[in-house]
Amino acid sequence: MKPNTSFSFLKNNYLAPTGASFTHLYGPILGVQASQLYTFLLSLYDQGKEKRLIAVILNHLDLGFAHFLESLDRLIAMNLLEVYETEEGLQFRFVPPLEADQFFANVAYQKLLEKKIGEAAVRDLLPENPEGEKRKVNFASVFGIDGVLTPQRKTSSFSLEHFKQLMARDGLRFENEQEDLLVLYAITEEKNWTWYETYLLAKETAANLIISTKRMRQKLTQQPPEKGKDEFTPQEKAIIREAKNKTSRQFLAGIKKARKAVVTQSERQVVSDLAQLGLLDEVINVILLLTFNKVASANLNEKYALKVGNDFAYEGIKTAEEAVLKIRQRQDSHTQKAKEKAAKSGSATGKTNVPKWSQPNYTNQTSQEEQADLEQQKRALLEKLNQGGE
């Protein structure tokens, strides 16, 4: 797509000019430029009779091409516009804005609007719920058509009400409800899941009963280990198996119990901090084991654990297998560096703490004059010692 790309409209796709609903509900989310673009395109509608260049839009709205593309993407993402690319150019299809009740049935839309104008302002825009009993009329009976289902309006597939009911049952809570719900909605849409499937993942990856969208994303991007790529030792396989089968708190408690110690509050906090980095329990468990094995102590080296955790989060370690391999690489690297340092130090100085006379091939090369001088120095030293003892 370029500024000289042509565009046209689909036939019989006329929409009325945007009203108060679009201004109040969509406008704050879209922003000024995207809102202006949508309104301008509506004003150009001509039943698809004419082809125009995108440059016309850029000139009229005083938009840069990059800002035009960003605004176009916003309209597409909010399901207000569909864009079809053909060999002859682009075709635009308008999608009518949702009515208020449908708009607020979409969790993501409501939370995005709250971010822009605040919860109090959104409450003022919520449509009033009707009172009394709703009159029901059967479509087929009125129009005399059998076997036809009444058309249903499309609503969001993410049910916040049911999601929160299960959260209350399991004692889960949000860290930041507004931000978390946007991510949950996005995951539901990306994976084409039901709200319940999304909840199961949120429950599995929760840390200290707090939903962690970071850990949910980590779990979704996990890749199964490639067979035959890296062989693990029996000990490493046992570590990986245990790391995957226990939560980080269970794993920590097991290590402390084996060392006849109890888990401290600061150690619990370290586990929470590692989870805050987005690390999954199986990765945290490998870090805990590494840290305890580093020193012979019943207490966790907290600074070291957080240091390794920061490194693993930065390197994108998502599985116990990846964590074990990374630790193996670290240990091999340290061992190699130590050997190189020792070899370099020995060759550079040529010195050793082992006395020459203890070496099997040592030969005394002292001359007779040097030996006589040494004997004289020894006699003089003995005389001084004798005089001092008198």
Side-chain angles (χ1 to χ4, degrees):
M1 189 187 306
K2 299 177 181 178
N4 61 355
T5 301
S6 64
F7 72 92
S8 61
F9 299 101
L10 290 176
K11 187 178 179 180
N12 294 328
N13 185 222
Y14 174 77
L15 292 185
T18 56
S21 178
F22 176 85
T23 303
H24 293 153
L25 304 181
Y26 286 88
I29 298 173
L30 292 172
V32 174
Q33 291 180 338
S35 298
Q36 287 180 339
L37 176 59
Y38 189 68
T39 304
F40 182 62
L41 289 175
L42 287 176
S43 71
L44 290 179
Y45 185 74
D46 60 357
Q47 285 287 0
K49 295 177 180 178
E50 185 179 346
K51 289 185 180 294
R52 299 177 177 87
L53 298 181
I54 291 177
V56 172
I57 302 173
L58 304 182
N59 292 335
H60 186 87
L61 297 179
D62 193 22
L63 269 181
F65 188 62
H67 288 156
F68 165 77
L69 290 177
E70 181 183 348
S71 298
L72 195 67
D73 286 345
R74 282 177 173 267
L75 294 174
I76 296 171
M78 290 297 294
N79 198 30
L80 291 169
L81 188 68
E82 294 176 357
V83 179
Y84 298 89
E85 298 187 36
T86 69
E87 294 180 357
E88 298 177 356
L90 304 178
Q91 283 188 324
F92 291 158
R93 178 182 181 273
F94 295 116
V95 181
L98 295 174
E99 296 177 11
D101 58 342
Q102 292 177 297
F103 181 93
F104 287 112
N106 188 307
V107 176
Y109 288 4
Q110 180 174 339
K111 294 305 173 182
L112 281 173
L113 190 57
E114 287 177 355
K115 285 184 66 176
K116 295 295 182 180
I117 65 175
E119 293 182 11
V122 168
R123 281 197 297 271
D124 291 338
L125 294 173
L126 290 173
E128 183 180 6
N129 291 323
E131 297 180 358
E133 186 176 352
K134 181 181 177 181
R135 177 178 173 83
K136 297 179 181 180
V137 177
N138 185 275
F139 177 86
S141 64
V142 171
F143 293 98
I145 304 173
D146 295 329
V148 177
L149 297 176
T150 303
Q152 298 293 323
R153 293 181 179 180
K154 184 180 179 182
T155 58
S156 170
S157 61
F158 186 87
S159 173
L160 179 58
E161 180 183 356
H162 291 101
F163 196 94
K164 284 188 171 181
Q165 285 176 357
L166 289 189
M167 285 180 62
R169 182 196 70 183
D170 296 329
L172 299 181
R173 63 186 188 277
F174 291 114
E175 182 176 10
N176 183 326
E177 181 173 341
Q178 194 173 79
E179 297 292 337
D180 291 345
L181 283 174
L182 291 176
V183 179
L184 291 171
Y185 181 85
I187 290 174
T188 304
E189 188 178 63
E190 290 167 12
K191 304 297 292 184
N192 196 25
W193 281 353
T194 64
W195 66 268
Y196 183 67
E197 289 173 307
T198 305
Y199 177 78
L200 291 179
L201 178 63
K203 181 181 178 182
E204 179 187 352
T205 56
N208 302 328
L209 299 178
I210 299 176
I211 289 177
S212 171
T213 53
K214 282 185 180 179
R215 282 158 57 101
M216 291 177 71
R217 287 292 191 192
Q218 287 284 76
K219 189 70 176 179
L220 287 173
T221 56
Q222 269 189 342
Q223 295 293 332
E226 296 182 24
K227 294 182 179 180
K229 182 178 179 181
D230 293 289
E231 291 295 332
F232 293 102
T233 66
Q235 183 183 13
E236 288 173 338
K237 289 179 180 178
I239 292 171
I240 292 169
R241 185 170 57 253
E242 287 299 311
K244 287 180 176 292
N245 289 337
K246 295 182 179 178
T247 67
S248 52
R249 290 207 166 192
Q250 291 171 338
F251 197 84
L252 175 62
I255 295 177
K256 297 286 286 190
K257 184 178 180 180
R259 301 194 178 201
K260 299 180 180 179
V262 296
V263 179
T264 65
Q265 182 58 39
S266 60
E267 289 173 337
R268 291 192 188 94
Q269 186 59 49
V270 169
V271 171
S272 297
D273 292 342
L274 292 171
Q276 283 287 325
L277 294 173
L279 297 173
L280 295 171
D281 280 1
E282 61 186 83
V283 176
I284 295 175
N285 291 343
V286 175
I287 293 174
L288 293 175
L289 187 60
L290 166 69
T291 307
F292 273 109
N293 288 344
K294 187 174 178 61
V295 291
S297 172
N299 295 310
L300 182 69
N301 187 332
E302 296 167 7
K303 290 184 178 179
Y304 183 75
L306 289 173
K307 179 179 180 297
V308 176
N310 283 327
D311 289 343
F312 278 17
Y314 175 75
E315 293 165 354
I317 304 300
K318 302 179 181 69
T319 64
E321 289 87 352
E322 292 175 357
V324 168
L325 288 176
K326 183 60 64 175
I327 289 172
R328 186 200 294 174
Q329 293 172 8
R330 282 167 164 252
Q331 292 173 341
D332 291 345
S333 177
H334 291 162
T335 302
Q336 184 62 28
K337 286 180 180 178
K339 289 180 179 179
E340 292 175 356
K341 184 177 180 181
K344 184 177 180 181
S345 176
S347 61
T349 60
K351 296 180 179 179
T352 175
N353 293 328
V354 181
K356 291 182 179 180
W357 52 265
S358 69
Q359 299 178 16
N361 59 348
Y362 173 76
T363 56
N364 191 342
Q365 298 178 350
T366 308
S367 64
Q368 292 182 352
E369 293 180 358
E370 290 173 335
Q371 289 180 356
D373 185 50
L374 288 172
E375 286 294 330
Q376 184 178 353
Q377 290 179 20
K378 185 167 71 173
R379 284 195 297 272
L381 180 60
L382 288 172
E383 289 177 0
K384 287 181 180 180
L385 290 173
N386 290 332
Q387 290 173 0
E390 292 177 356

